[in-house]
Amino acid sequence: MPHEYREKYVPRGVYLTCNVLIERGEGPFVYDSSGREYIDFTTGIAVLNLGHRPPKVVEAIKGQADKFLHQCIHVADYMPYLELAKRLSESFLWGEAKTLLLNSGAEALENAVKISRYYRKAPGIIVFDYAFHGRTLLTMSMTSKFRPYKYGFYAYAPGIVRLPYPYPYRCVFGSSSPEECGELALEFFEHAFKTYIDPDEAAAVVLEPVIGEGGYIVPPKNFVEGVAKITREYGILYVSDEVQTGMGRTGTFWAIEQFNVEPDLITVGKAVASGLPLSAVIGRKDIMDSVHEGGLGGTFGGNPVSAAAALATVEEIRNVLGHAKKLGEYMEKRLDELYDKYDVIGEHRGLGPMRALEFVKDRRSKEPYKKFVGELIREGVRNGILLLSAGIYGNVIRVVPPINIEFEVFDEGVERLERSIKNVLQAVVS
Ligand SMILES: Cc1ncc(COP(=O)(O)O)c(C=O)c1O
């Protein structure tokens, strides 16, 4: 029946990864309609950093639902919006900040661009290869991968300039050293001010601290820090898109904390409300306040129930950061073991508990093995594990369990993942 309904009523464009009908979720587990258990290594695309239905978040949602469900912030004040704006502003470590609450990651990026352009009185937005910033017209235009995100939609938004990004495993400059790849990408950046965009016409650079949808690519530090230095020199704003990396996903509250960079604006979405729709732009007070009254907002931004969920989430994330850091180290060790055993894994990489395995046909040629990843996801479902792909070649499996998952449960997940790898390898050989 679910399949029939999907075929009949849901447009083809809405893709499906794991063919499972979810009935219930609890911590790192989900259960289907027959009661079968799956370990969730996808967390609904890096959203459920505290797992499914974290008790304190559910309690906060119920508490707010008993009071009122909606009151647009442009009509009357309400405390969940104001409290959350305070908490998120306080999480900005680089000076006095203010926070605008919105609904989705894409909407946060849209607003970060609006605010940057307004503040700088310049149109240009610099983005990078492999970036993913959303699916609205503007954010789709900022996104790098054509198929499936942009292909056929045409007429992209103006003012966007894309530059090369150092993907050390597949460096477009042909370098095998991450630092050198980063250095060459930086040199290109400087060159771009002559031929791609004048720095005076650039409002902001938008950069994910770790590339998410584009393949969980951890950039060399010299690149990120070099980009930040260049933006400072020219007064261009630095927007850290933390929609996927934020809220403890990399072991620190913001991933950018792990680089020597002072962002001007941060965008956050996904994990901030443990699964309820909410996003935000957090940034330097003078920049956020530059826009005239009435220039920012929306009907649902900072919805009271979502904001209550986010307040409880922020609190709880802070409590589990210590565990998340240790988990990151443990995940690195366990996934390195898989890399050592299986040649089909070309690279294991990540930052803290945001990790990925890139699959290749051959370690020397590095030919992407997308088909293997498709089979692996299907085999994962048969073995009780939910997996998700990423990457411009679709050949990367991201490993993003809840950051509070117990090590024993993670181990069980790795066992199921390994069993799935073995089975797919066997099927390929036979
Ligand atoms: C880094 C990044 N920015 C923006 C977005 C867009 O978020 P949303 O899907 O909530 O619009 C995503 C979504 O995957 C993302 O990973």
Side-chain angles (χ1 to χ4, degrees), residues 80-117:
Y81 190 112
L82 303 178
E83 282 282 4
L84 183 60
K86 174 176 184 286
R87 288 303 302 265
L88 290 178
S89 299
E90 286 167 355
S91 76
F92 188 86
L93 305 173
W94 305 273
E96 217 178 323
K98 286 197 168 186
T99 299
L100 167 69
L101 299 181
L102 304 146
N103 298 287
S104 66
E107 201 186 356
L109 268 299
E110 291 264 350
N111 279 277
V113 168
K114 275 172 69 178
I115 295 167
S116 301
R117 283 178 170 161

mmCIF file of all heavy atoms in Angstrom, residues 80-117:
data_model
loop_
_atom_site.group_PDB
_atom_site.id
_atom_site.type_symbol
_atom_site.label_atom_id
_atom_site.label_comp_id
_atom_site.label_asym_id
_atom_site.label_seq_id
_atom_site.Cartn_x
_atom_site.Cartn_y
_atom_site.Cartn_z
ATOM 1 N N PRO A 80 8.853 31.857 23.719
ATOM 2 C CA PRO A 80 9.737 30.875 23.069
ATOM 3 C C PRO A 80 10.610 31.514 21.982
ATOM 4 O O PRO A 80 11.796 31.213 21.873
ATOM 5 C CB PRO A 80 8.755 29.850 22.488
ATOM 6 C CG PRO A 80 7.565 29.933 23.393
ATOM 7 C CD PRO A 80 7.459 31.380 23.780
ATOM 8 N N TYR A 81 10.032 32.451 21.187
ATOM 9 C CA TYR A 81 10.825 33.127 20.149
ATOM 10 C C TYR A 81 11.936 33.942 20.807
ATOM 11 O O TYR A 81 13.118 33.850 20.445
ATOM 12 C CB TYR A 81 9.918 34.049 19.316
ATOM 13 C CG TYR A 81 10.576 34.619 18.066
ATOM 14 C CD1 TYR A 81 10.154 34.232 16.787
ATOM 15 C CD2 TYR A 81 11.612 35.538 18.153
ATOM 16 C CE1 TYR A 81 10.750 34.746 15.637
ATOM 17 C CE2 TYR A 81 12.229 36.056 17.008
ATOM 18 C CZ TYR A 81 11.786 35.651 15.758
ATOM 19 O OH TYR A 81 12.391 36.151 14.631
ATOM 20 N N LEU A 82 11.551 34.733 21.825
ATOM 21 C CA LEU A 82 12.517 35.665 22.433
ATOM 22 C C LEU A 82 13.624 34.901 23.169
ATOM 23 O O LEU A 82 14.800 35.230 23.069
ATOM 24 C CB LEU A 82 11.790 36.630 23.373
ATOM 25 C CG LEU A 82 10.652 37.438 22.712
ATOM 26 C CD1 LEU A 82 9.960 38.321 23.734
ATOM 27 C CD2 LEU A 82 11.191 38.283 21.543
ATOM 28 N N GLU A 83 13.218 33.856 23.905
ATOM 29 C CA GLU A 83 14.204 33.037 24.644
ATOM 30 C C GLU A 83 15.174 32.374 23.675
ATOM 31 O O GLU A 83 16.380 32.326 23.913
ATOM 32 C CB GLU A 83 13.499 31.901 25.412
ATOM 33 C CG GLU A 83 12.814 32.289 26.683
ATOM 34 C CD GLU A 83 13.762 32.488 27.849
ATOM 35 O OE1 GLU A 83 14.983 32.393 27.658
ATOM 36 O OE2 GLU A 83 13.253 32.789 28.946
ATOM 37 N N LEU A 84 14.614 31.843 22.578
ATOM 38 C CA LEU A 84 15.474 31.126 21.624
ATOM 39 C C LEU A 84 16.421 32.115 20.930
ATOM 40 O O LEU A 84 17.604 31.811 20.727
ATOM 41 C CB LEU A 84 14.631 30.363 20.599
ATOM 42 C CG LEU A 84 15.438 29.535 19.603
ATOM 43 C CD1 LEU A 84 16.280 28.469 20.307
ATOM 44 C CD2 LEU A 84 14.523 28.868 18.569
ATOM 45 N N ALA A 85 15.896 33.288 20.592
ATOM 46 C CA ALA A 85 16.758 34.309 19.973
ATOM 47 C C ALA A 85 17.913 34.625 20.932
ATOM 48 O O ALA A 85 19.072 34.769 20.514
ATOM 49 C CB ALA A 85 15.946 35.558 19.659
ATOM 50 N N LYS A 86 17.614 34.692 22.227
ATOM 51 C CA LYS A 86 18.655 34.987 23.228
ATOM 52 C C LYS A 86 19.688 33.847 23.271
ATOM 53 O O LYS A 86 20.892 34.077 23.169
ATOM 54 C CB LYS A 86 17.974 35.148 24.599
ATOM 55 C CG LYS A 86 18.932 35.314 25.773
ATOM 56 C CD LYS A 86 18.136 35.571 27.061
ATOM 57 C CE LYS A 86 19.022 35.843 28.250
ATOM 58 N NZ LYS A 86 19.699 34.658 28.758
ATOM 59 N N ARG A 87 19.173 32.605 23.356
ATOM 60 C CA ARG A 87 20.096 31.459 23.485
ATOM 61 C C ARG A 87 20.985 31.321 22.257
ATOM 62 O O ARG A 87 22.187 31.065 22.356
ATOM 63 C CB ARG A 87 19.316 30.144 23.682
ATOM 64 C CG ARG A 87 18.648 29.982 25.032
ATOM 65 C CD ARG A 87 19.621 30.091 26.178
ATOM 66 N NE ARG A 87 20.706 29.108 26.092
ATOM 67 C CZ ARG A 87 20.721 27.923 26.690
ATOM 68 N NH1 ARG A 87 19.700 27.572 27.428
ATOM 69 N NH2 ARG A 87 21.741 27.103 26.568
ATOM 70 N N LEU A 88 20.400 31.463 21.085
ATOM 71 C CA LEU A 88 21.213 31.305 19.861
ATOM 72 C C LEU A 88 22.186 32.476 19.707
ATOM 73 O O LEU A 88 23.336 32.285 19.296
ATOM 74 C CB LEU A 88 20.314 31.149 18.630
ATOM 75 C CG LEU A 88 19.550 29.821 18.550
ATOM 76 C CD1 LEU A 88 18.648 29.777 17.317
ATOM 77 C CD2 LEU A 88 20.486 28.602 18.524
ATOM 78 N N SER A 89 21.747 33.680 20.077
ATOM 79 C CA SER A 89 22.652 34.834 19.998
ATOM 80 C C SER A 89 23.840 34.610 20.941
ATOM 81 O O SER A 89 24.981 34.940 20.606
ATOM 82 C CB SER A 89 21.929 36.127 20.374
ATOM 83 O OG SER A 89 20.859 36.341 19.479
ATOM 84 N N GLU A 90 23.559 34.032 22.106
ATOM 85 C CA GLU A 90 24.651 33.776 23.073
ATOM 86 C C GLU A 90 25.607 32.684 22.574
ATOM 87 O O GLU A 90 26.742 32.603 23.018
ATOM 88 C CB GLU A 90 24.060 33.360 24.432
ATOM 89 C CG GLU A 90 23.443 34.525 25.181
ATOM 90 C CD GLU A 90 22.586 34.101 26.372
ATOM 91 O OE1 GLU A 90 22.382 32.874 26.585
ATOM 92 O OE2 GLU A 90 22.099 34.997 27.076
ATOM 93 N N SER A 91 25.118 31.843 21.664
ATOM 94 C CA SER A 91 25.995 30.769 21.156
ATOM 95 C C SER A 91 26.979 31.305 20.113
ATOM 96 O O SER A 91 27.888 30.600 19.686
ATOM 97 C CB SER A 91 25.147 29.650 20.529
ATOM 98 O OG SER A 91 24.686 30.067 19.249
ATOM 99 N N PHE A 92 26.785 32.539 19.700
ATOM 100 C CA PHE A 92 27.673 33.166 18.710
ATOM 101 C C PHE A 92 28.885 33.690 19.480
ATOM 102 O O PHE A 92 28.777 34.627 20.273
ATOM 103 C CB PHE A 92 26.909 34.296 18.002
ATOM 104 C CG PHE A 92 27.642 34.896 16.836
ATOM 105 C CD1 PHE A 92 27.555 34.332 15.571
ATOM 106 C CD2 PHE A 92 28.424 36.035 16.995
ATOM 107 C CE1 PHE A 92 28.228 34.890 14.486
ATOM 108 C CE2 PHE A 92 29.093 36.609 15.926
ATOM 109 C CZ PHE A 92 28.996 36.030 14.662
ATOM 110 N N LEU A 93 30.031 33.068 19.242
ATOM 111 C CA LEU A 93 31.206 33.307 20.102
ATOM 112 C C LEU A 93 32.055 34.489 19.654
ATOM 113 O O LEU A 93 33.097 34.735 20.219
ATOM 114 C CB LEU A 93 32.087 32.051 20.123
ATOM 115 C CG LEU A 93 31.393 30.756 20.531
ATOM 116 C CD1 LEU A 93 32.311 29.561 20.338
ATOM 117 C CD2 LEU A 93 30.932 30.853 21.984
ATOM 118 N N TRP A 94 31.628 35.203 18.617
ATOM 119 C CA TRP A 94 32.523 36.169 17.991
ATOM 120 C C TRP A 94 32.023 37.608 18.115
ATOM 121 O O TRP A 94 32.216 38.430 17.222
ATOM 122 C CB TRP A 94 32.732 35.765 16.524
ATOM 123 C CG TRP A 94 33.214 34.352 16.425
ATOM 124 C CD1 TRP A 94 34.522 33.936 16.484
ATOM 125 C CD2 TRP A 94 32.422 33.163 16.285
ATOM 126 N NE1 TRP A 94 34.589 32.567 16.403
ATOM 127 C CE2 TRP A 94 33.314 32.071 16.272
ATOM 128 C CE3 TRP A 94 31.058 32.911 16.191
ATOM 129 C CZ2 TRP A 94 32.887 30.746 16.164
ATOM 130 C CZ3 TRP A 94 30.620 31.592 16.083
ATOM 131 C CH2 TRP A 94 31.527 30.541 16.063
ATOM 132 N N GLY A 95 31.340 37.898 19.222
ATOM 133 C CA GLY A 95 30.869 39.260 19.452
ATOM 134 C C GLY A 95 29.374 39.285 19.707
ATOM 135 O O GLY A 95 28.698 38.250 19.651
ATOM 136 N N GLU A 96 28.882 40.491 19.985
ATOM 137 C CA GLU A 96 27.459 40.623 20.291
ATOM 138 C C GLU A 96 26.630 40.264 19.053
ATOM 139 O O GLU A 96 26.957 40.714 17.937
ATOM 140 C CB GLU A 96 27.166 42.060 20.712
ATOM 141 C CG GLU A 96 26.135 42.111 21.823
ATOM 142 C CD GLU A 96 25.872 43.536 22.275
ATOM 143 O OE1 GLU A 96 26.826 44.339 22.311
ATOM 144 O OE2 GLU A 96 24.701 43.832 22.556
ATOM 145 N N ALA A 97 25.579 39.453 19.258
ATOM 146 C CA ALA A 97 24.840 38.934 18.090
ATOM 147 C C ALA A 97 23.338 39.086 18.259
ATOM 148 O O ALA A 97 22.822 39.300 19.364
ATOM 149 C CB ALA A 97 25.187 37.466 17.898
ATOM 150 N N LYS A 98 22.644 38.992 17.127
ATOM 151 C CA LYS A 98 21.183 38.922 17.116
ATOM 152 C C LYS A 98 20.759 37.743 16.234
ATOM 153 O O LYS A 98 21.556 37.283 15.397
ATOM 154 C CB LYS A 98 20.592 40.222 16.586
ATOM 155 C CG LYS A 98 20.690 41.372 17.583
ATOM 156 C CD LYS A 98 19.750 42.509 17.212
ATOM 157 C CE LYS A 98 19.656 43.506 18.361
ATOM 158 N NZ LYS A 98 18.645 44.538 18.106
ATOM 159 N N THR A 99 19.522 37.301 16.411
ATOM 160 C CA THR A 99 19.069 36.088 15.715
ATOM 161 C C THR A 99 17.710 36.289 15.061
ATOM 162 O O THR A 99 16.773 36.777 15.704
ATOM 163 C CB THR A 99 18.986 34.909 16.725
ATOM 164 O OG1 THR A 99 20.296 34.685 17.249
ATOM 165 C CG2 THR A 99 18.480 33.638 16.068
ATOM 166 N N LEU A 100 17.637 35.882 13.799
ATOM 167 C CA LEU A 100 16.372 35.898 13.055
ATOM 168 C C LEU A 100 15.900 34.453 12.925
ATOM 169 O O LEU A 100 16.662 33.598 12.454
ATOM 170 C CB LEU A 100 16.628 36.494 11.663
ATOM 171 C CG LEU A 100 15.534 36.339 10.605
ATOM 172 C CD1 LEU A 100 14.314 37.185 10.956
ATOM 173 C CD2 LEU A 100 16.074 36.740 9.226
ATOM 174 N N LEU A 101 14.656 34.165 13.332
ATOM 175 C CA LEU A 101 14.153 32.793 13.254
ATOM 176 C C LEU A 101 13.308 32.592 11.991
ATOM 177 O O LEU A 101 12.491 33.450 11.640
ATOM 178 C CB LEU A 101 13.319 32.458 14.496
ATOM 179 C CG LEU A 101 14.068 32.530 15.836
ATOM 180 C CD1 LEU A 101 13.139 32.152 16.981
ATOM 181 C CD2 LEU A 101 15.298 31.635 15.843
ATOM 182 N N LEU A 102 13.513 31.430 11.366
ATOM 183 C CA LEU A 102 12.832 31.118 10.102
ATOM 184 C C LEU A 102 12.387 29.657 10.127
ATOM 185 O O LEU A 102 12.324 29.066 11.207
ATOM 186 C CB LEU A 102 13.793 31.419 8.947
ATOM 187 C CG LEU A 102 14.313 32.871 8.975
ATOM 188 C CD1 LEU A 102 15.735 32.962 8.483
ATOM 189 C CD2 LEU A 102 13.393 33.793 8.202
ATOM 190 N N ASN A 103 12.119 29.092 8.941
ATOM 191 C CA ASN A 103 11.534 27.741 8.905
ATOM 192 C C ASN A 103 12.457 26.640 8.402
ATOM 193 O O ASN A 103 12.510 25.570 8.964
ATOM 194 C CB ASN A 103 10.283 27.750 8.027
ATOM 195 C CG ASN A 103 9.229 28.681 8.578
ATOM 196 O OD1 ASN A 103 8.609 28.372 9.582
ATOM 197 N ND2 ASN A 103 9.063 29.826 7.954
ATOM 198 N N SER A 104 13.156 26.904 7.292
ATOM 199 C CA SER A 104 13.962 25.838 6.692
ATOM 200 C C SER A 104 15.393 26.329 6.485
ATOM 201 O O SER A 104 15.659 27.540 6.551
ATOM 202 C CB SER A 104 13.378 25.463 5.329
ATOM 203 O OG SER A 104 13.538 26.567 4.455
ATOM 204 N N GLY A 105 16.275 25.377 6.186
ATOM 205 C CA GLY A 105 17.660 25.745 5.910
ATOM 206 C C GLY A 105 17.749 26.720 4.743
ATOM 207 O O GLY A 105 18.441 27.738 4.812
ATOM 208 N N ALA A 106 17.016 26.408 3.673
ATOM 209 C CA ALA A 106 17.063 27.271 2.494
ATOM 210 C C ALA A 106 16.622 28.692 2.837
ATOM 211 O O ALA A 106 17.215 29.671 2.385
ATOM 212 C CB ALA A 106 16.173 26.690 1.393
ATOM 213 N N GLU A 107 15.602 28.793 3.679
ATOM 214 C CA GLU A 107 15.105 30.126 4.044
ATOM 215 C C GLU A 107 16.156 30.894 4.856
ATOM 216 O O GLU A 107 16.273 32.122 4.738
ATOM 217 C CB GLU A 107 13.798 29.997 4.827
ATOM 218 C CG GLU A 107 12.987 31.270 4.807
ATOM 219 C CD GLU A 107 11.747 31.207 5.705
ATOM 220 O OE1 GLU A 107 11.465 30.144 6.301
ATOM 221 O OE2 GLU A 107 11.071 32.239 5.821
ATOM 222 N N ALA A 108 16.918 30.156 5.660
ATOM 223 C CA ALA A 108 17.997 30.815 6.415
ATOM 224 C C ALA A 108 19.044 31.362 5.444
ATOM 225 O O ALA A 108 19.507 32.494 5.581
ATOM 226 C CB ALA A 108 18.624 29.831 7.397
ATOM 227 N N LEU A 109 19.390 30.554 4.446
ATOM 228 C CA LEU A 109 20.391 31.002 3.456
ATOM 229 C C LEU A 109 19.876 32.197 2.656
ATOM 230 O O LEU A 109 20.610 33.152 2.395
ATOM 231 C CB LEU A 109 20.744 29.843 2.519
ATOM 232 C CG LEU A 109 21.940 28.953 2.897
ATOM 233 C CD1 LEU A 109 23.232 29.762 2.967
ATOM 234 C CD2 LEU A 109 21.742 28.221 4.193
ATOM 235 N N GLU A 110 18.595 32.132 2.261
ATOM 236 C CA GLU A 110 17.990 33.246 1.528
ATOM 237 C C GLU A 110 18.149 34.539 2.328
ATOM 238 O O GLU A 110 18.504 35.587 1.792
ATOM 239 C CB GLU A 110 16.479 33.001 1.326
ATOM 240 C CG GLU A 110 16.140 31.879 0.387
ATOM 241 C CD GLU A 110 15.853 32.373 -1.030
ATOM 242 O OE1 GLU A 110 15.742 33.578 -1.241
ATOM 243 O OE2 GLU A 110 15.755 31.511 -1.925
ATOM 244 N N ASN A 111 17.868 34.442 3.626
ATOM 245 C CA ASN A 111 17.928 35.640 4.459
ATOM 246 C C ASN A 111 19.360 36.086 4.731
ATOM 247 O O ASN A 111 19.628 37.281 4.817
ATOM 248 C CB ASN A 111 17.155 35.417 5.759
ATOM 249 C CG ASN A 111 15.666 35.626 5.544
ATOM 250 O OD1 ASN A 111 15.174 36.744 5.574
ATOM 251 N ND2 ASN A 111 14.957 34.536 5.254
ATOM 252 N N ALA A 112 20.269 35.129 4.847
ATOM 253 C CA ALA A 112 21.682 35.500 5.036
ATOM 254 C C ALA A 112 22.154 36.300 3.815
ATOM 255 O O ALA A 112 22.902 37.275 3.945
ATOM 256 C CB ALA A 112 22.530 34.252 5.238
ATOM 257 N N VAL A 113 21.701 35.888 2.633
ATOM 258 C CA VAL A 113 22.074 36.603 1.409
ATOM 259 C C VAL A 113 21.430 37.997 1.393
ATOM 260 O O VAL A 113 22.090 38.998 1.110
ATOM 261 C CB VAL A 113 21.669 35.789 0.153
ATOM 262 C CG1 VAL A 113 21.772 36.633 -1.111
ATOM 263 C CG2 VAL A 113 22.533 34.540 0.044
ATOM 264 N N LYS A 114 20.138 38.059 1.734
ATOM 265 C CA LYS A 114 19.460 39.370 1.760
ATOM 266 C C LYS A 114 20.188 40.327 2.702
ATOM 267 O O LYS A 114 20.470 41.485 2.359
ATOM 268 C CB LYS A 114 18.013 39.201 2.268
ATOM 269 C CG LYS A 114 17.013 38.826 1.194
ATOM 270 C CD LYS A 114 15.642 38.484 1.782
ATOM 271 C CE LYS A 114 14.901 39.669 2.362
ATOM 272 N NZ LYS A 114 13.548 39.271 2.877
ATOM 273 N N ILE A 115 20.479 39.839 3.897
ATOM 274 C CA ILE A 115 21.110 40.702 4.919
ATOM 275 C C ILE A 115 22.510 41.131 4.457
ATOM 276 O O ILE A 115 22.889 42.303 4.576
ATOM 277 C CB ILE A 115 21.177 39.958 6.284
ATOM 278 C CG1 ILE A 115 19.759 39.695 6.804
ATOM 279 C CG2 ILE A 115 21.992 40.760 7.301
ATOM 280 C CD1 ILE A 115 19.685 38.707 7.966
ATOM 281 N N SER A 116 23.269 40.184 3.897
ATOM 282 C CA SER A 116 24.643 40.506 3.450
ATOM 283 C C SER A 116 24.612 41.562 2.351
ATOM 284 O O SER A 116 25.404 42.506 2.347
ATOM 285 C CB SER A 116 25.343 39.256 2.908
ATOM 286 O OG SER A 116 25.394 38.265 3.884
ATOM 287 N N ARG A 117 23.703 41.382 1.398
ATOM 288 C CA ARG A 117 23.626 42.346 0.287
ATOM 289 C C ARG A 117 23.224 43.725 0.812
ATOM 290 O O ARG A 117 23.759 44.748 0.385
ATOM 291 C CB ARG A 117 22.616 41.860 -0.768
ATOM 292 C CG ARG A 117 23.196 40.748 -1.625
ATOM 293 C CD ARG A 117 22.174 40.248 -2.631
ATOM 294 N NE ARG A 117 22.806 39.345 -3.599
ATOM 295 C CZ ARG A 117 22.151 38.483 -4.353
ATOM 296 N NH1 ARG A 117 20.838 38.388 -4.270
ATOM 297 N NH2 ARG A 117 22.794 37.712 -5.204
#
